[in-house]
């Protein structure tokens, strides 16, 4: 016991500020929301116990709940792979040891820092407007671009591109992962006259496994929680025609627009379970596709 | 004195800051024993905030020993914050109230009745009867209307003049609108469309439904409109799109939720946009052309659909410790010459005739347009509808959502109309 404390004390000391925040500020509201998810609560009057009513309504009656699920899942399945592929591509290009790499890294990381900001979302809205940058470029080639934001068939893709554009965080992690691959493996492959593609699939990709896995889990969780961009671009309500009704936007509407805190809490718990489920699937499946160099036998 | 190292330096800095922070706190709490402190809470914009803070200063000067703390947020956050504060028994003493929420707050016992102050601290001797009625709940006065409002169709007067449009702004019909819009679109060669597309404009539908004697909400709060009326409304605007006299559908769809500066009238993409009368001054300030004001188009053979809406109220918290002072503040807000002069028309048309007269010499062109339009329109409006029932906002949202399907031709009008009426009923049932 004494040894345990001595060994872990520094760690817990560093964690301490976060732990205070978690226990004092986060845990209470989290548990309260679990209770509230079984009630009807409009803030002004005390919550009334409603049993499973919220969950029952959600799964049997609520079309908008299913619409929000559809939008969110489409977004996750499109944006996460695209973003990871993009991030890996850029990371590999930057790994070549070009001059001024620090600058490139900063430049490519910039969108991720700006990503959650309102300003970028507004900018994005303008880029994709009827007379925006995209359509002006298309016009040069004689293509009349659609109204990206006003058309429910296209609006989601504008948000997917915005998410992909914010590839900085996974890129940096990939970059670190690439640096950690021992050079002798490539040299050996060189001697055997392996092609570039072969080297990528036989060395780079397998050895990056743990890093890909890490990025995949983090980005999936992030993608499920997308809010700010979508909120600004959709005008706060998932417009046009609910094509941007992400789960979190629906939750926000229910809670802070219609004051159904009980129902919104239930939605939050469903989101938590969905995210937990996907993380669990990723962890479980990782046994079969993630390769750790140091546990070879 | 021990040697100053970095840690000690930071420590003493913080101790100093702490002491400095507590000092004024003590002095203020000592002072607070004789001063009555009230909180005033409103939603608005920078111009309104400036006017309101000036009014607070004027009131504090005239009433020594009273301190009013102003708190302001935007409309979007206002109701969330007010509901949370009310639940925490921390509601501000005086709150700006909206017609939509008045019933709800009264029924939950959050507001103080104003009856007992009438003729006392609250002087309503010159206050008009019409505006007063909006603040009554079950025959009892709970809120004072501080400005009235009505729907307005603003048009670009320069373009209307150049094209030579002659019409009666208070009596033209939907068919007239179609003719006018066609003339303008043709005369400008399509660079300016005749009017905005109102397929998604809830206020336009509300007016149309009242003109058709099938208001969206019946007196008991149930859904009073039907598929035919909804369909007829959307059909009209589709015919406008097919005639090419309103902007393309996708453009109109993308304007939902955007600010006044993106309105067709302001960007000169269209010659007519639809707003509330207390926005006339703001719209004119954004427009390079002179604007004119008309009512929403009438329905041939219909009844008046527009109404004079109490745009904002002041109400008093049931938990206030200083009800007399709060009542006096509300009274001065509507009567006091200095305070009303500062407030102007920013929140709507003042409900006391003397105040309107005192303001008129100082009016700008836009303010004169606003007041002139309001007094003329008043002769052509219908009755004030009952306050919207709970979840009315959700019904509005459903209208926009399903309307988008119509606008973009993704759903037939008859299906969409049936779906909207069905959803509106479901939303009302769920709200109880």
């Amino acid at each position: 016991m004494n040894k345990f404390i001595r060994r872990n004390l520094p760690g817990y000391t560093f964690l301490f500020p976060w732990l205070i925040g978690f226990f004092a500020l986060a845990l209470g509201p989290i548990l309260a929301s679990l209770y509230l998810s079984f009630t009807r609560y409009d803030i002004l009057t005390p919550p009334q116990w409603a049993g499973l009513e919220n969950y029952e309504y959600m799964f049997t009656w609520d079309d908008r709940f299913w619409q929000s699920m559809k939008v969110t899942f489409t977004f996750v399945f499109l944006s996460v792979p695209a973003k990871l592929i993009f991030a890996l591509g850029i990371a590999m290009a930057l790994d070549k040891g070009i001059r001024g790499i620090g600058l490139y890294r900063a430049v490519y990381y910039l969108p991720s820092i700006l990503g959650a900001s309102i300003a970028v979302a507004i900018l994005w809205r303008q880029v994709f407007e009827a007379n925006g940058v995209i359509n002006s470029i298309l016009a040069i080639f004689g293509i009349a671009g659609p109204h990206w934001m006003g058309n429910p068939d296209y609006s989601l893709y504008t948000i997917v591109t915005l998410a992909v554009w914010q590839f900085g965080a996974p890129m940096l992690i990939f970059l670190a992962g690439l640096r950690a691959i021992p050079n002798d493996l490539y040299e050996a492959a060189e001697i055997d006259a392996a092609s570039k593609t072969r080297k990528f699939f036989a060395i780079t990709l397998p050895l990056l496994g743990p890093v890909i896995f890490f990025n995949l889990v983090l980005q999936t969780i992030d993608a499920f929680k997308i809010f700010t961009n979508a909120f600004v671009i959709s005008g706060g309500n998932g417009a046009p025609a609910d094509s941007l009704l992400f789960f979190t936007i629906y939750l926000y509407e229910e809670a802070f627009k219609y004051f159904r805190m009980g129902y919104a809490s239930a939605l939050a718990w469903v989101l938590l379970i969905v995210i937990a489920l996907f993380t669990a699937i990723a962890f479980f499946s990782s046994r079969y596709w993630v390769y750790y160099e140091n546990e070879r036998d | 004195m021990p040697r100053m190292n970095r840690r000690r330096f930071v420590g003493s800095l913080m101790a100093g800051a702490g002491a400095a922070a507590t000092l004024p706190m003590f002095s203020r709490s000592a002072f607070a024993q004789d001063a009555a402190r009230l909180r005033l809470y409103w939603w608005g914009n920078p111009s309104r905030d400036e006017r309101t803070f000036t009014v607070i200063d004027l009131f504090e000067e005239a009433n020594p020993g009273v301190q009013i703390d102003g708190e302001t947020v935007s409309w979007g956050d206002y109701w969330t914050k007010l509901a949370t504060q009310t639940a925490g028994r921390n509601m501000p003493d005086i709150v700006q109230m909206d017609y939509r929420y008045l019933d709800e707050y009264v029924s939950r016992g959050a507001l103080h009745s104003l009856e007992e102050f009438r003729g006392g601290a609250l002087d309503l001797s010159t206050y008009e009867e019409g505006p007063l009625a909006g603040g009554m709940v079950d025959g009892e006065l709970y809120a004072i209307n501080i400005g009235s409002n009505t729907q307005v169709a603003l048009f670009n007067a320069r373009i209307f003049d150049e094209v030579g449009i002659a019409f009666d702004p208070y009596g033209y019909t939907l068919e007239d609108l179609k003719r006018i819009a066609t003339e303008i679109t043709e005369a400008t060669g399509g660079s300016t469309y005749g009017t905005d597309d109102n397929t998604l404009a809830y206020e336009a539908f509300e007016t149309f439904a009242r003109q058709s004697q099938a208001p969206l909400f019946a007196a008991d709060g149930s859904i009073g409109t039907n598929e035919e009326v909804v369909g007829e409304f959307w059909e009209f605007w589709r015919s406008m799109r097919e005639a090419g006299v309103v902007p393309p559908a996708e453009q109109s769809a993308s304007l939902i939720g955007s600010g006044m500066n993106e309105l067709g009238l302001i960007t000169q993409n269209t010659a007519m946009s639809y707003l509330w009368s207390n926005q006339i001054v703001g719209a004119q300030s954004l427009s390079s052309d002179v604007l004119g004001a008309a009512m929403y188009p009438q329905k041939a053979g219909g009844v008046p659909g527009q109404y004079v809406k109490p745009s904002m109220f002041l109400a008093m918290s049931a938990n206030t410790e200083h009800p007399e002072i709060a009542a006096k503040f509300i009274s001065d807000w509507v009567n006091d010459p200095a305070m009303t002069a500062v407030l102007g028309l920013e929140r709507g048309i003042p409900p006391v005739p003397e105040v309107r007269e005192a303001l008129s010499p100082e009016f700008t062109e836009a303010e004169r347009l606003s007041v002139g339009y309001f007094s003329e329109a008043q002769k052509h409006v219908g009755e004030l509808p009952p306050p919207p029932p709970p979840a009315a906002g959700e019904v509005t949202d459903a209208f926009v959502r399903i309307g988008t399907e119509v606008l973009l031709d993704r759903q037939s009008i008859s299906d969409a109309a049936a779906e909207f009426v069905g959803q509106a009923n479901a939303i009302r049932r769920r709200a109880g």
Side-chain angles (χ1 to χ4, degrees), chain A residues 86-253:
Chain A
F86 205 66
L88 181 57
I90 302 279
M92 286 175 62
L94 289 184
D95 192 35
K96 293 279 189 283
I98 345 162
R99 218 189 279 177
I101 184 164
L103 178 72
Y104 283 111
R105 246 181 299 182
V107 167
Y108 285 122
Y109 191 59
L110 208 58
S112 307
I113 304 173
L114 300 172
S117 80
I118 306 285
V120 167
I122 290 172
L123 175 89
W124 214 252
R125 216 188 140 105
Q126 288 180 353
V127 166
F128 282 97
E129 256 177 7
N131 331 314
V133 178
I134 300 282
N135 281 354
S136 307
I137 294 172
L138 287 177
I140 298 173
F141 302 101
I143 304 167
H147 205 298
W148 303 97
M149 296 294 178
N151 190 324
D153 293 333
Y154 301 112
S155 52
L156 185 58
Y157 301 109
T158 63
I159 304 226
V160 171
T161 23
L162 176 55
V164 172
W165 180 60
Q166 291 154 11
F167 58 87
M171 178 201 72
L172 280 192
I173 297 170
F174 276 136
L175 204 51
L178 288 171
R179 292 283 160 86
I181 298 176
N183 229 349
D184 48 353
L185 293 176
Y186 289 110
E187 280 162 13
E190 203 93 343
I191 291 167
D192 291 341
S195 70
K196 271 191 179 158
T197 338
R198 188 70 210 270
K199 276 192 274 185
F200 176 74
F201 283 107
I203 301 173
T204 314
L205 213 51
L207 287 180
L208 269 185
V211 177
I212 295 176
F213 172 62
F214 177 80
N215 270 338
L216 177 74
V217 171
L218 279 196
Q219 293 305 322
T220 308
I221 294 176
D222 259 11
F224 271 116
K225 296 193 315 189
I226 177 181
F227 179 74
T228 315
N229 303 329
F231 184 82
V232 173
I233 289 175
S234 75
N237 59 12
D242 275 356
S243 62
L244 297 181
L245 188 72
F246 289 94
F247 200 86
T248 50
I249 294 205
Y250 185 46
L251 193 161
Y252 178 89
E253 250 195 348

Side-chain angles (χ1 to χ4, degrees), chain A residues 41-45 54 57 62-64 125 129-131 145-154 234-235 237 239-242 250 252-254 256-261 263, chain B residues 76-77 79-87 101 104-105 108 110 249-251 253-258 262 391 393-394 397-398 400-401 404-405 408 410 423 426-427 430-431:
Chain A
Y41 181 38
D42 65 0
I43 306 189
L44 278 180
T45 41
N54 289 329
Y57 179 83
D62 194 352
D63 292 341
R64 295 191 84 205
R125 216 188 140 105
E129 256 177 7
N131 331 314
H147 205 298
W148 303 97
M149 296 294 178
N151 190 324
D153 293 333
Y154 301 112
S234 75
N237 59 12
D242 275 356
Y250 185 46
Y252 178 89
E253 250 195 348
E254 286 289 315
F256 298 108
K257 204 166 166 200
Y258 305 145
F259 295 118
R260 281 194 285 259
M261 290 294 165
Y263 192 67
Chain B
D77 301 322
W79 299 102
T80 311
K81 196 173 166 196
L82 184 60
T84 319
Q85 289 188 333
T86 307
Y101 291 97
E104 209 168 323
Y105 274 80
R108 283 166 187 167
E250 287 184 345
Q251 221 173 70
S254 70
L255 278 180
I256 279 297
S258 57
E262 290 178 65
E394 229 179 316
D397 292 345
V400 175
R401 194 162 60 235
T404 308
E405 305 279 353
L408 299 172
R410 291 154 58 97
Q423 280 199 18
I427 290 167
R430 188 178 174 208

